Amino acid sequence: MDQPRSACPECEKFQGRVAELEKLLAALQKQLEAQSRAGKRQAAPFSKGKPKEAPEKPGRKAGQQHGPHAHRPPPPPQAIDEVLEATLPDACPHCGGDIQKDEVADEQFQTDIPTAPIRRKFRIHKGCCKRCRRKIRGRHPLQTSDATGAAQSQIGPNAQAGIVYLNKRCGMSYGKIVDYFEQACGIQIHPSSATRIVLRSSEILEPTYQDILQSIRDSKYLTPDETGWRNGGRPVWLHVAVGDQATGYFIDRRRSADALEEIIGIDYSGTLIRDGFVSYDRFEEAIHQLCVAHPLRRAKRLEETLSGRDKLFPRQAIDLIKEALALRDAYHAGERTQEQLFADYETYAARMSDLALRPRVNDLNQTFANHLHDYSHAWFCFLLQPDLPATNYQAEQALKTPIVNRKVFGGNRTDKGCQAQAVLSSTIQTCKQQERSAFGFLRDALCGLAQNIFQTLTGPHFAAAA
């Protein structure tokens, strides 16, 4: 009987490697299948993954961990519009006995919204100039149009601003907006009227939109990003650029940086805080700070997926980036100087280049290493400008509202609708960035009150419209 041959050490090594790769392939296939299934569900964009097995109890903590109370303060006496008496019943509701009234009454305050519409009538005075014989008509600050005759019955500025805000900020469809105004406010509006109000608001705010785009061009730093959109059912891209003073949206059929180039120019020389999309590389005059959250997430996934010594490289990348972030935090804490941060930038850029240059056996690690090496000079620019963010979270946050709204109406139907989406979304988001009321800005613009979105409007006209 033949004796079994002794296994070749080299063969055993390769068999072990094959088994390891088969295990990795099975894990990746399982992960790909799970993501493919999740992407087909309607709730996929809002999913945060598998729920925790032992989540923390929601709500405030008991005892010393309760935290500060955030009670609504009572309004000042001069702001109270009416005082209502909650009188005692004639007899005790429990036993029917007489009630002895206390001398001091408790107080409760309530802030509510009106449900009855305000119906105004404007008497427009008119005349003729004695010198040039031109006709002159009066204009009240609350008027949104000079139209009379067949178009004399109109929707007021607060209602128009509400329609724009509910559609572009809250993502409500025109049908739902119409239903809300009829049920809550007693105002009847047709969906077509709401559509025209949005388009007209876009035309009025076009100069404001151009001011926003000019602010983006002049911004010292920009955070761009993009997401999918629809124009008449055709795929297009909704781009956003967040500057130091303004946020601009623009819709283009191209995903590449061609759209951004048309807005800021190829010679933009500020700082681009961006993801790894290679199309942004064309801005050679700009300083590029790549979002460090992307490689951190990618390295974490690799560390969880790979096995053995292959886990070492993603862990080294994570530690290197976190070390640099800790140095920036030390600077803000007063423990490090600006000159030290400049030296730290050179050190960490060189360390990242050296780490990524080492050859990797695993293909996934090698691909990741190539990406880290190609941008080794751009991962740590936050050490040169420690007041700037190291991630592109600002752009991702600015896209959250449009992405959620896209789930409601899918996009726009016409080119005019796309332009209105860009103009109104830019105006509302910039108002939020400027810490001013977007609703008030929309209302005043619809009343024809000229204003600069980067300055607070004052004067008698503003008071009259408020």
Side-chain angles (χ1 to χ4, degrees), residues 354-398:
D354 293 341
L355 176 65
L357 271 177
R358 303 171 193 170
R360 309 290 167 184
V361 176
N362 185 278
D363 291 339
L364 296 176
N365 275 343
Q366 186 60 56
T367 302
F368 183 37
N370 293 339
H371 178 62
L372 293 178
H373 179 265
D374 290 342
Y375 296 100
S376 58
H377 62 286
W379 296 117
F380 306 108
C381 289
F382 60 84
L383 295 175
L384 300 176
Q385 304 180 71
D387 292 331
L388 296 184
T391 68
N392 70 335
Y393 283 173
Q394 287 185 329
E396 291 182 347
Q397 291 291 330

Short mmCIF file of all heavy atoms in Angstrom, two decimals, residues 354-398:
data_model
loop_
_atom_site.label_atom_id
_atom_site.label_comp_id
_atom_site.label_asym_id
_atom_site.label_seq_id
_atom_site.Cartn_x
_atom_site.Cartn_y
_atom_site.Cartn_z
N ASP A 354 5.44 58.00 2.74
CA ASP A 354 6.26 56.81 3.01
C ASP A 354 5.39 55.60 3.33
O ASP A 354 5.67 54.48 2.88
CB ASP A 354 7.20 57.10 4.19
CG ASP A 354 8.25 58.15 3.84
OD1 ASP A 354 8.47 58.37 2.64
OD2 ASP A 354 8.82 58.74 4.78
N LEU A 355 4.33 55.81 4.10
CA LEU A 355 3.45 54.70 4.46
C LEU A 355 2.76 54.12 3.23
O LEU A 355 2.65 52.90 3.08
CB LEU A 355 2.40 55.18 5.48
CG LEU A 355 1.34 54.16 5.90
CD1 LEU A 355 1.97 53.00 6.65
CD2 LEU A 355 0.26 54.83 6.75
N ALA A 356 2.30 55.00 2.34
CA ALA A 356 1.55 54.53 1.17
C ALA A 356 2.46 53.95 0.09
O ALA A 356 1.99 53.20 -0.77
CB ALA A 356 0.74 55.69 0.58
N LEU A 357 3.76 54.28 0.11
CA LEU A 357 4.67 53.78 -0.93
C LEU A 357 5.05 52.31 -0.72
O LEU A 357 5.48 51.65 -1.67
CB LEU A 357 5.94 54.63 -0.96
CG LEU A 357 5.92 55.85 -1.88
CD1 LEU A 357 7.21 56.63 -1.75
CD2 LEU A 357 5.69 55.43 -3.33
N ARG A 358 4.93 51.80 0.48
CA ARG A 358 5.31 50.42 0.71
C ARG A 358 4.41 49.47 -0.07
O ARG A 358 3.20 49.65 -0.09
CB ARG A 358 5.22 50.10 2.21
CG ARG A 358 6.07 51.01 3.09
CD ARG A 358 5.75 50.80 4.56
NE ARG A 358 6.32 51.87 5.38
CZ ARG A 358 6.04 52.02 6.67
NH1 ARG A 358 5.21 51.19 7.28
NH2 ARG A 358 6.59 53.02 7.35
N PRO A 359 4.98 48.46 -0.71
CA PRO A 359 4.16 47.53 -1.50
C PRO A 359 3.23 46.72 -0.61
O PRO A 359 3.58 46.33 0.51
CB PRO A 359 5.19 46.64 -2.19
CG PRO A 359 6.41 46.74 -1.35
CD PRO A 359 6.42 48.12 -0.76
N ARG A 360 2.00 46.46 -1.12
CA ARG A 360 0.99 45.72 -0.37
C ARG A 360 0.63 44.44 -1.11
O ARG A 360 0.45 44.44 -2.34
CB ARG A 360 -0.28 46.56 -0.19
CG ARG A 360 -0.02 47.96 0.36
CD ARG A 360 0.42 47.91 1.80
NE ARG A 360 0.97 49.21 2.23
CZ ARG A 360 1.50 49.43 3.41
NH1 ARG A 360 1.58 48.45 4.29
NH2 ARG A 360 1.99 50.62 3.71
N VAL A 361 0.52 43.37 -0.39
CA VAL A 361 0.13 42.08 -0.99
C VAL A 361 -1.35 42.09 -1.33
O VAL A 361 -1.77 41.60 -2.39
CB VAL A 361 0.47 40.92 -0.02
CG1 VAL A 361 -0.02 39.59 -0.60
CG2 VAL A 361 1.96 40.88 0.26
N ASN A 362 -2.14 42.67 -0.45
CA ASN A 362 -3.59 42.70 -0.67
C ASN A 362 -3.95 43.78 -1.68
O ASN A 362 -3.52 44.94 -1.56
CB ASN A 362 -4.28 42.95 0.68
CG ASN A 362 -5.79 42.88 0.57
OD1 ASN A 362 -6.43 43.85 0.17
ND2 ASN A 362 -6.36 41.73 0.92
N ASP A 363 -4.77 43.45 -2.67
CA ASP A 363 -5.14 44.40 -3.73
C ASP A 363 -5.96 45.56 -3.18
O ASP A 363 -5.82 46.71 -3.64
CB ASP A 363 -5.91 43.69 -4.84
CG ASP A 363 -5.03 42.73 -5.63
OD1 ASP A 363 -3.79 42.91 -5.60
OD2 ASP A 363 -5.57 41.80 -6.27
N LEU A 364 -6.86 45.28 -2.24
CA LEU A 364 -7.67 46.36 -1.67
C LEU A 364 -6.79 47.36 -0.93
O LEU A 364 -6.98 48.58 -1.05
CB LEU A 364 -8.73 45.78 -0.73
CG LEU A 364 -9.78 44.86 -1.37
CD1 LEU A 364 -10.70 44.27 -0.30
CD2 LEU A 364 -10.60 45.64 -2.39
N ASN A 365 -5.84 46.87 -0.19
CA ASN A 365 -4.91 47.76 0.50
C ASN A 365 -4.05 48.55 -0.47
O ASN A 365 -3.75 49.73 -0.26
CB ASN A 365 -4.00 46.96 1.44
CG ASN A 365 -4.65 46.71 2.79
OD1 ASN A 365 -5.61 47.37 3.16
ND2 ASN A 365 -4.12 45.75 3.53
N GLN A 366 -3.65 47.92 -1.57
CA GLN A 366 -2.81 48.60 -2.55
C GLN A 366 -3.57 49.72 -3.24
O GLN A 366 -3.02 50.81 -3.47
CB GLN A 366 -2.31 47.59 -3.59
CG GLN A 366 -1.31 48.18 -4.58
CD GLN A 366 -0.06 48.71 -3.88
OE1 GLN A 366 0.61 47.98 -3.14
NE2 GLN A 366 0.26 49.98 -4.09
N THR A 367 -4.84 49.47 -3.56
CA THR A 367 -5.66 50.53 -4.17
C THR A 367 -5.82 51.70 -3.22
O THR A 367 -5.72 52.87 -3.61
CB THR A 367 -7.03 49.96 -4.55
OG1 THR A 367 -6.87 48.86 -5.45
CG2 THR A 367 -7.89 51.03 -5.22
N PHE A 368 -6.07 51.39 -1.95
CA PHE A 368 -6.21 52.45 -0.94
C PHE A 368 -4.90 53.20 -0.76
O PHE A 368 -4.87 54.44 -0.65
CB PHE A 368 -6.67 51.81 0.37
CG PHE A 368 -6.92 52.79 1.47
CD1 PHE A 368 -7.49 54.03 1.22
CD2 PHE A 368 -6.60 52.48 2.79
CE1 PHE A 368 -7.73 54.94 2.24
CE2 PHE A 368 -6.84 53.38 3.83
CZ PHE A 368 -7.41 54.61 3.54
N ALA A 369 -3.78 52.48 -0.77
CA ALA A 369 -2.47 53.11 -0.61
C ALA A 369 -2.17 54.05 -1.78
O ALA A 369 -1.60 55.13 -1.59
CB ALA A 369 -1.39 52.04 -0.48
N ASN A 370 -2.53 53.63 -2.99
CA ASN A 370 -2.30 54.49 -4.15
C ASN A 370 -3.06 55.81 -4.01
O ASN A 370 -2.54 56.88 -4.34
CB ASN A 370 -2.74 53.77 -5.43
CG ASN A 370 -1.86 52.57 -5.75
OD1 ASN A 370 -0.72 52.48 -5.28
ND2 ASN A 370 -2.37 51.65 -6.54
N HIS A 371 -4.30 55.72 -3.53
CA HIS A 371 -5.10 56.93 -3.35
C HIS A 371 -4.48 57.84 -2.28
O HIS A 371 -4.38 59.06 -2.47
CB HIS A 371 -6.53 56.55 -2.96
CG HIS A 371 -7.43 57.71 -2.69
ND1 HIS A 371 -7.75 58.65 -3.66
CD2 HIS A 371 -8.07 58.11 -1.55
CE1 HIS A 371 -8.55 59.57 -3.14
NE2 HIS A 371 -8.76 59.26 -1.86
N LEU A 372 -4.04 57.26 -1.18
CA LEU A 372 -3.41 58.07 -0.13
C LEU A 372 -2.13 58.72 -0.62
O LEU A 372 -1.84 59.87 -0.28
CB LEU A 372 -3.12 57.19 1.09
CG LEU A 372 -4.32 56.65 1.87
CD1 LEU A 372 -3.86 55.76 3.01
CD2 LEU A 372 -5.19 57.79 2.41
N HIS A 373 -1.36 58.00 -1.42
CA HIS A 373 -0.09 58.55 -1.91
C HIS A 373 -0.31 59.67 -2.92
O HIS A 373 0.40 60.69 -2.91
CB HIS A 373 0.76 57.44 -2.54
CG HIS A 373 2.06 57.93 -3.07
ND1 HIS A 373 2.24 58.29 -4.41
CD2 HIS A 373 3.25 58.18 -2.46
CE1 HIS A 373 3.47 58.69 -4.58
NE2 HIS A 373 4.11 58.64 -3.44
N ASP A 374 -1.30 59.49 -3.80
CA ASP A 374 -1.55 60.51 -4.82
C ASP A 374 -1.89 61.86 -4.20
O ASP A 374 -1.60 62.91 -4.79
CB ASP A 374 -2.69 60.06 -5.74
CG ASP A 374 -2.28 58.89 -6.63
OD1 ASP A 374 -1.06 58.65 -6.78
OD2 ASP A 374 -3.18 58.20 -7.15
N TYR A 375 -2.51 61.86 -3.03
CA TYR A 375 -2.92 63.12 -2.37
C TYR A 375 -2.23 63.29 -1.02
O TYR A 375 -2.79 63.91 -0.12
CB TYR A 375 -4.44 63.13 -2.18
CG TYR A 375 -5.21 63.14 -3.48
CD1 TYR A 375 -5.76 61.97 -3.99
CD2 TYR A 375 -5.38 64.31 -4.21
CE1 TYR A 375 -6.45 61.95 -5.18
CE2 TYR A 375 -6.08 64.32 -5.40
CZ TYR A 375 -6.62 63.14 -5.88
OH TYR A 375 -7.31 63.14 -7.07
N SER A 376 -1.03 62.76 -0.90
CA SER A 376 -0.33 62.86 0.39
C SER A 376 -0.09 64.31 0.81
O SER A 376 -0.01 64.61 2.00
CB SER A 376 1.01 62.11 0.31
OG SER A 376 1.83 62.65 -0.74
N HIS A 377 0.00 65.22 -0.16
CA HIS A 377 0.22 66.64 0.14
C HIS A 377 -1.06 67.34 0.54
O HIS A 377 -1.04 68.50 0.98
CB HIS A 377 0.80 67.33 -1.09
CG HIS A 377 -0.14 67.30 -2.28
ND1 HIS A 377 -0.35 66.15 -3.02
CD2 HIS A 377 -0.94 68.25 -2.81
CE1 HIS A 377 -1.22 66.41 -3.98
NE2 HIS A 377 -1.59 67.67 -3.87
N ALA A 378 -2.24 66.69 0.34
CA ALA A 378 -3.51 67.37 0.53
C ALA A 378 -4.31 66.86 1.73
O ALA A 378 -5.38 67.39 2.00
CB ALA A 378 -4.37 67.22 -0.74
N TRP A 379 -3.82 65.86 2.43
CA TRP A 379 -4.58 65.34 3.56
C TRP A 379 -4.44 66.22 4.81
O TRP A 379 -5.34 66.24 5.65
CB TRP A 379 -4.12 63.92 3.91
CG TRP A 379 -4.37 62.90 2.85
CD1 TRP A 379 -3.45 62.18 2.15
CD2 TRP A 379 -5.64 62.50 2.34
NE1 TRP A 379 -4.07 61.36 1.25
CE2 TRP A 379 -5.41 61.53 1.34
CE3 TRP A 379 -6.96 62.86 2.64
CZ2 TRP A 379 -6.45 60.92 0.63
CZ3 TRP A 379 -7.99 62.26 1.94
CH2 TRP A 379 -7.75 61.30 0.95
N PHE A 380 -3.35 66.94 4.94
CA PHE A 380 -3.04 67.63 6.20
C PHE A 380 -2.95 69.14 6.04
O PHE A 380 -2.28 69.80 6.83
CB PHE A 380 -1.75 67.09 6.80
CG PHE A 380 -1.76 65.59 6.98
CD1 PHE A 380 -0.99 64.79 6.15
CD2 PHE A 380 -2.54 65.00 7.95
CE1 PHE A 380 -0.99 63.41 6.29
CE2 PHE A 380 -2.55 63.63 8.11
CZ PHE A 380 -1.78 62.82 7.28
N CYS A 381 -3.61 69.71 5.04
CA CYS A 381 -3.59 71.16 4.88
C CYS A 381 -4.30 71.87 6.02
O CYS A 381 -4.12 73.08 6.21
CB CYS A 381 -4.22 71.55 3.54
SG CYS A 381 -3.21 71.12 2.11
N PHE A 382 -5.13 71.15 6.78
CA PHE A 382 -5.77 71.78 7.93
C PHE A 382 -4.75 72.16 9.00
O PHE A 382 -5.07 72.94 9.90
CB PHE A 382 -6.84 70.84 8.53
CG PHE A 382 -6.32 69.52 9.02
CD1 PHE A 382 -5.78 69.40 10.29
CD2 PHE A 382 -6.39 68.40 8.21
CE1 PHE A 382 -5.31 68.18 10.74
CE2 PHE A 382 -5.93 67.17 8.66
CZ PHE A 382 -5.38 67.06 9.93
N LEU A 383 -3.52 71.64 8.91
CA LEU A 383 -2.46 72.08 9.81
C LEU A 383 -1.91 73.45 9.39
O LEU A 383 -1.43 74.21 10.22
CB LEU A 383 -1.34 71.05 9.85
CG LEU A 383 -1.71 69.68 10.44
CD1 LEU A 383 -0.53 68.72 10.31
CD2 LEU A 383 -2.14 69.81 11.89
N LEU A 384 -1.99 73.73 8.09
CA LEU A 384 -1.56 75.04 7.61
C LEU A 384 -2.62 76.10 7.86
O LEU A 384 -2.29 77.28 8.03
CB LEU A 384 -1.25 74.97 6.11
CG LEU A 384 -0.16 73.99 5.68
CD1 LEU A 384 -0.03 73.97 4.16
CD2 LEU A 384 1.18 74.36 6.33
N GLN A 385 -3.89 75.70 7.84
CA GLN A 385 -5.01 76.60 8.10
C GLN A 385 -5.90 75.97 9.17
O GLN A 385 -6.95 75.41 8.86
CB GLN A 385 -5.80 76.86 6.82
CG GLN A 385 -4.97 77.42 5.67
CD GLN A 385 -5.80 77.65 4.44
OE1 GLN A 385 -6.63 78.55 4.38
NE2 GLN A 385 -5.59 76.82 3.42
N PRO A 386 -5.50 76.04 10.42
CA PRO A 386 -6.21 75.30 11.47
C PRO A 386 -7.63 75.77 11.74
O PRO A 386 -8.39 75.07 12.42
CB PRO A 386 -5.33 75.49 12.71
CG PRO A 386 -4.53 76.73 12.42
CD PRO A 386 -4.32 76.74 10.94
N ASP A 387 -8.01 76.93 11.23
CA ASP A 387 -9.38 77.41 11.44
C ASP A 387 -10.35 76.84 10.42
O ASP A 387 -11.57 77.03 10.55
CB ASP A 387 -9.42 78.94 11.37
CG ASP A 387 -8.68 79.58 12.55
OD1 ASP A 387 -8.64 78.94 13.61
OD2 ASP A 387 -8.14 80.69 12.38
N LEU A 388 -9.86 76.16 9.39
CA LEU A 388 -10.73 75.58 8.37
C LEU A 388 -11.06 74.13 8.73
O LEU A 388 -10.25 73.44 9.36
CB LEU A 388 -10.05 75.63 7.01
CG LEU A 388 -9.77 77.02 6.45
CD1 LEU A 388 -9.19 76.90 5.05
CD2 LEU A 388 -11.03 77.87 6.42
N PRO A 389 -12.23 73.65 8.34
CA PRO A 389 -12.59 72.26 8.63
C PRO A 389 -11.74 71.30 7.82
O PRO A 389 -11.24 71.62 6.75
CB PRO A 389 -14.07 72.18 8.23
CG PRO A 389 -14.27 73.30 7.24
CD PRO A 389 -13.33 74.39 7.66
N ALA A 390 -11.58 70.10 8.37
CA ALA A 390 -10.80 69.06 7.71
C ALA A 390 -11.68 68.08 6.95
O ALA A 390 -11.17 67.10 6.41
CB ALA A 390 -9.95 68.31 8.74
N THR A 391 -12.98 68.32 6.91
CA THR A 391 -13.91 67.45 6.20
C THR A 391 -14.82 68.29 5.31
O THR A 391 -14.90 69.51 5.46
CB THR A 391 -14.78 66.64 7.19
OG1 THR A 391 -15.66 67.55 7.88
CG2 THR A 391 -13.92 65.91 8.21
N ASN A 392 -15.50 67.62 4.40
CA ASN A 392 -16.46 68.32 3.54
C ASN A 392 -17.88 68.21 4.09
O ASN A 392 -18.85 68.19 3.35
CB ASN A 392 -16.40 67.78 2.11
CG ASN A 392 -16.96 66.37 2.00
OD1 ASN A 392 -16.97 65.62 2.98
ND2 ASN A 392 -17.42 66.00 0.82
N TYR A 393 -17.99 68.13 5.42
CA TYR A 393 -19.30 67.98 6.05
C TYR A 393 -20.23 69.13 5.72
O TYR A 393 -21.45 68.94 5.65
CB TYR A 393 -19.14 67.85 7.57
CG TYR A 393 -18.68 66.50 8.05
CD1 TYR A 393 -18.36 66.28 9.38
CD2 TYR A 393 -18.58 65.43 7.18
CE1 TYR A 393 -17.93 65.03 9.82
CE2 TYR A 393 -18.15 64.19 7.59
CZ TYR A 393 -17.83 63.99 8.92
OH TYR A 393 -17.42 62.77 9.35
N GLN A 394 -19.70 70.34 5.56
CA GLN A 394 -20.57 71.49 5.28
C GLN A 394 -21.36 71.28 3.99
O GLN A 394 -22.56 71.57 3.94
CB GLN A 394 -19.74 72.77 5.19
CG GLN A 394 -19.23 73.27 6.54
CD GLN A 394 -18.53 74.60 6.43
OE1 GLN A 394 -17.90 74.91 5.41
NE2 GLN A 394 -18.58 75.41 7.47
N ALA A 395 -20.70 70.78 2.96
CA ALA A 395 -21.41 70.52 1.71
C ALA A 395 -22.37 69.35 1.85
O ALA A 395 -23.48 69.38 1.31
CB ALA A 395 -20.39 70.24 0.59
N GLU A 396 -21.96 68.31 2.56
CA GLU A 396 -22.85 67.17 2.75
C GLU A 396 -24.08 67.58 3.55
O GLU A 396 -25.19 67.12 3.25
CB GLU A 396 -22.09 66.04 3.46
CG GLU A 396 -21.00 65.41 2.59
CD GLU A 396 -20.30 64.26 3.29
OE1 GLU A 396 -20.49 64.13 4.53
OE2 GLU A 396 -19.56 63.51 2.63
N GLN A 397 -23.90 68.43 4.55
CA GLN A 397 -25.05 68.92 5.31
C GLN A 397 -25.96 69.78 4.44
O GLN A 397 -27.19 69.72 4.54
CB GLN A 397 -24.58 69.72 6.52
CG GLN A 397 -23.89 68.89 7.60
CD GLN A 397 -24.84 67.97 8.33
OE1 GLN A 397 -26.02 68.27 8.46
NE2 GLN A 397 -24.34 66.84 8.80
N ALA A 398 -25.36 70.60 3.57
CA ALA A 398 -26.16 71.46 2.69
C ALA A 398 -26.96 70.64 1.69
O ALA A 398 -28.00 71.12 1.19
CB ALA A 398 -25.26 72.44 1.95
#
